[in-house]
């Protein structure tokens, strides 16, 4: 790999390093600010989805939330395939995650063109990057038909000068002289795409359940797999045994009355032990309920977030209500050092974030909330829900108000039943 982060032709059919003439300074690599999907899965047009310090995506089951994450995962996968020196130009290598082109394209789209848009920002400078895909009669996985960039309202068609190496990467055409401004824009956009792909991490709702005796791998990654299977290797590397402390993890466990340590029983072999802070009794993690072990991958990911963008699917999964509320605080703390994209259906977690906005622990401008809903005409839309200074929701729809209203209706119904019972008892007494 050269200093730009692109790979020279060691097994590749192309020499991607030839595309670029200069090395990247910090100013050349922009931060992904927002993304937009057109005719992608359930959406005709999501509008720009802002990636904030905390971005919450709410919606009913099967509403289309996962489509937003698949688009970002495609960026990460495309970089990973190129890093492995694997050239591809369509969805074939991603079919397991996104399907063929017919499955990717919105069924009610007026034209069978899928467009993925990415907006990058450095200080006041904004760049936009667009990738379009269309069906291919000879290939069920479609083909890339447009790759373009936009700066200061000037749009550049990169495919006049480059070929697509793999959806998000380009190869210089040898017979074309590339204007310096276009080459510089392409260079900056691809470096920015690469930077985001390298820093993007996903943690699923169904997370790894630990063994009673843990065999440590010895090699430590600071990127967890989607199920958090590396969490105990990472914690071991962060433990006092290695001369370090995982303060966020310690604080998280202490909220529920525990501290932790590794009880070693051989080389790279041991138990993860929880100590009850009141009684002093120690026990193996697997004997202390599912919630603690399922929340640890999240706590470790936030401990090591280090300017990454982390997508967390249902952080409240398997957690009782108090832990869901406390998870809101953990996410706020973790987001001080990175960005969190959150799919959640937890009213307790959301309420805690609203409360912290009202208390100015986190600014309302640092939290973005989207609600995925289906309109009366059957279109799936991504609706922005604003927060005011008191943490209250603004510009809500009826569907959004109903989303968090089930407990209210149940309480209302219980009160009605109780009133009827009291009336019936009073009548019998008379």
């Amino acid at each position: 790999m050269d200093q730009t982060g692109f790979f020279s032709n060691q097994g590749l059919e192309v020499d991607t390093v030839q595309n670029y003439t200069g090395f990247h300074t910090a100013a050349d690599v922009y931060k992904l600010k927002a993304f937009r999907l057109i005719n992608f899965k359930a959406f005709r047009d999501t509008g720009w989805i802002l990636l904030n310090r905390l971005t919450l995506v709410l919606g009913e089951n099967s509403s289309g939330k996962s489509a937003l994450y698949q688009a970002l995962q495609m960026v990460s996968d495309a970089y990973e395939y190129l890093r492995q020196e694997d050239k591809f130009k369509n969805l074939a290598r991603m079919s397991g995650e996104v399907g063929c082109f017919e499955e990717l394209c919105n069924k009610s789209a007026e034209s069978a063109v899928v467009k993925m848009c990415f907006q990058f920002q450095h200080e006041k400078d904004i760049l936009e990057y667009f990738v379009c895909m269309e069906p291919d009669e000879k290939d069920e996985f479609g083909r890339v038909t447009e790759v373009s960039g936009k700066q200061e309202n000037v749009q550049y068609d990169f495919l006049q000068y480059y070929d697509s190496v793999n959806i998000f990467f380009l190869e210089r055409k040898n017979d074309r002289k590339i204007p310096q401004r276009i080459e510089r824009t392409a260079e900056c956009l691809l470096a920015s795409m690469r930077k985001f792909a390298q820093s993007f991490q996903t943690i699923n709702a169904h997370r790894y359940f630990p063994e009673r005796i843990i065999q440590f791998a010895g090699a430590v990654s600071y990127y967890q797999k989607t199920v958090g299977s590396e969490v105990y290797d990472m914690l071991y590397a962060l433990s006092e045994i290695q001369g370090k402390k995982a303060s966020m993890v310690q604080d998280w466990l202490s909220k529920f009355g525990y501290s932790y340590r590794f009880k070693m029983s051989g080389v790279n072999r041991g138990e993860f032990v929880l100590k009850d802070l009141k009684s002093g009794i120690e026990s193996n993690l697997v004997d202390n309920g599912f919630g603690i072990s399922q929340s640890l991958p999240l706590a470790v990911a936030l401990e090591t977030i280090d300017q990454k963008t982390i997508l967390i699917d249902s952080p409240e999964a398997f957690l009782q209500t108090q832990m869901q509320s406390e998870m809101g605080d953990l996410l706020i703390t973790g987001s001080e050092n990175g960005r969190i994209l959150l799919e959640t259906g937890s009213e307790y977690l959301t309420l805690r974030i609203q409360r912290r906005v009202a208390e100015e622990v986190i600014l309302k401008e640092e939290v973005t909330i989207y609600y995925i809903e289906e309109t009366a005409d059957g279109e799936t839309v991504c609706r922005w829900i604003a927060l005011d200074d008191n943490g209250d929701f603004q510009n809500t729809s009826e569907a959004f108000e109903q989303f968090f209203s089930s407990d209210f209706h149940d309480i209302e119904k219980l009160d009605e039943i109780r009133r009827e019972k009291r009336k019936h008892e009073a009548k019998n007494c008379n």
Side-chain angles (χ1 to χ4, degrees), residues 45-266:
D45 189 348
T46 62
W48 286 107
I49 307 296
L50 176 67
L51 291 177
N52 211 335
R53 175 179 164 182
L54 270 182
T55 304
L56 280 67
V57 180
L58 312 173
E60 302 288 349
N61 291 335
S62 302
S63 61
K65 300 187 295 296
S66 61
L68 301 180
Y69 312 143
Q70 285 178 330
L72 298 181
Q73 192 62 50
M74 285 175 71
V75 178
S76 182
D77 289 348
Y79 176 77
E80 185 63 21
Y81 293 137
L82 188 67
R83 193 182 68 81
Q84 297 171 4
E85 302 185 352
D86 188 1
K87 180 179 177 180
F88 69 102
K89 292 188 178 182
N90 57 25
L91 296 172
R93 287 299 305 272
M94 300 181 182
S95 59
E97 293 81 27
V98 299
C100 64
F101 182 82
E102 183 179 356
E103 295 170 304
L104 186 74
C105 188
N106 182 276
K107 300 297 186 291
S108 60
E110 295 179 1
S111 60
V113 178
V114 173
K115 190 169 187 177
M116 304 173 67
C117 316
F118 303 90
Q119 188 178 86
F120 296 90
Q121 183 172 10
H122 174 71
E123 295 179 350
K124 295 183 179 181
D125 194 16
I126 293 177
L127 293 177
E128 294 178 4
Y129 190 64
F130 309 97
V131 176
C132 289
M133 297 189 66
E134 296 183 17
D136 188 336
E137 294 180 358
K138 299 179 180 180
D139 194 330
E140 66 174 329
F141 298 110
R143 59 192 176 93
V144 177
T145 56
E146 177 190 340
V147 181
S148 59
K150 184 178 180 181
Q151 184 177 31
E152 297 176 353
N153 294 319
V154 179
Q155 189 150 330
Y156 305 113
D157 179 4
F158 291 147
L159 294 188
Q160 287 187 24
Y161 308 95
Y162 302 92
D163 288 322
S164 173
V165 175
N166 76 358
I167 299 183
F168 300 106
F169 291 87
L170 304 172
E171 169 196 4
R172 176 196 292 273
K173 291 181 178 179
N174 292 328
D175 61 342
R176 293 295 179 93
K177 179 176 175 59
I178 305 176
Q180 185 178 13
R181 185 177 178 86
I182 294 177
E183 183 176 38
R184 194 65 181 158
T185 302
E187 175 184 321
C188 184
L189 281 169
L190 292 184
S192 301
M193 290 289 288
R194 173 184 59 83
K195 181 66 174 178
F196 172 75
Q198 289 176 322
S199 68
F200 182 68
Q201 181 177 345
T202 303
I203 300 179
N204 286 347
H206 296 283
R207 297 181 278 276
Y208 172 79
F209 188 71
E211 302 289 339
R212 183 173 294 277
I213 303 297
I214 301 169
Q215 186 69 48
F216 300 108
V220 179
S221 169
Y222 284 89
Y223 283 82
Q224 293 186 50
K225 292 182 180 177
T226 56
V227 295
S229 55
E230 298 86 356
V231 64
Y232 299 100
D233 280 298
M234 294 172 71
L235 263 177
Y236 181 70
L238 290 169
S239 71
E240 292 188 43
I241 295 173
Q242 304 295 330
K244 302 177 183 178
K245 291 185 178 181
S247 57
M248 195 174 297
V249 175
Q250 291 281 21
D251 290 346
W252 172 248
L253 290 175
S254 69
K255 287 178 180 290
F256 309 103
Y258 294 108
S259 63
Y260 81 90
R261 71 181 181 93
F262 286 100
K263 181 180 178 181
M264 305 306 293
S265 56

Side-chain angles (χ1 to χ4, degrees), residues 273-397:
V273 174
L274 292 178
K275 179 180 179 179
D276 188 304
L277 294 176
K278 289 184 178 179
S279 66
I281 295 174
E282 292 187 336
S283 57
N284 191 289
L285 173 66
V286 300
D287 297 322
N288 282 269
F290 207 54
I292 292 290
S293 67
Q294 291 301 286
S295 66
L296 276 173
L298 308 180
V300 174
L302 297 175
E303 184 86 52
T304 58
I305 189 169
D306 191 25
Q307 304 308 312
K308 294 194 287 284
T309 299
I310 299 182
L311 162 62
I312 304 178
D313 183 359
S314 304
E316 71 275 11
F318 311 109
L319 307 186
Q320 46 88 355
T321 54
Q322 181 194 355
M323 290 185 78
Q324 291 181 36
S325 297
E326 297 293 349
M327 180 59 68
D329 280 329
L330 182 69
L331 292 165
I332 290 171
T333 302
S335 67
E336 293 175 0
N337 299 311
R339 295 188 298 182
I340 299 172
L341 177 59
L342 190 69
E343 178 186 343
T344 181
S346 172
E347 182 174 13
Y348 302 101
L349 187 156
T350 307
L351 279 171
R352 180 58 61 90
I353 293 173
Q354 290 179 262
R355 171 184 164 186
R356 297 310 187 207
V357 168
E359 295 172 341
E360 300 183 2
V361 173
I362 184 171
L363 300 177
K364 66 179 182 180
E365 292 82 10
E366 297 175 311
V367 180
T368 306
I369 299 174
Y370 294 99
Y371 181 69
I372 311 298
E373 65 176 88
E374 188 174 298
T375 62
D377 61 359
E379 182 178 354
T380 300
V381 297
C382 193
R383 190 183 301 279
W384 171 57
I385 307 294
L387 292 174
D388 65 14
D389 291 330
N390 297 318
D392 292 326
F393 297 126
Q394 303 296 302
N395 59 286
T396 59
S397 65

Side-chain angles (χ1 to χ4, degrees), residues 4 6 16-22 162 170 172 183 186-187 190:
T4 68
F6 293 94
T16 52
V17 75
Q18 289 182 359
N19 294 346
Y20 310 108
T21 57
Y162 302 92
L170 304 172
R172 176 196 292 273
E183 183 176 38
E187 175 184 321
L190 292 184

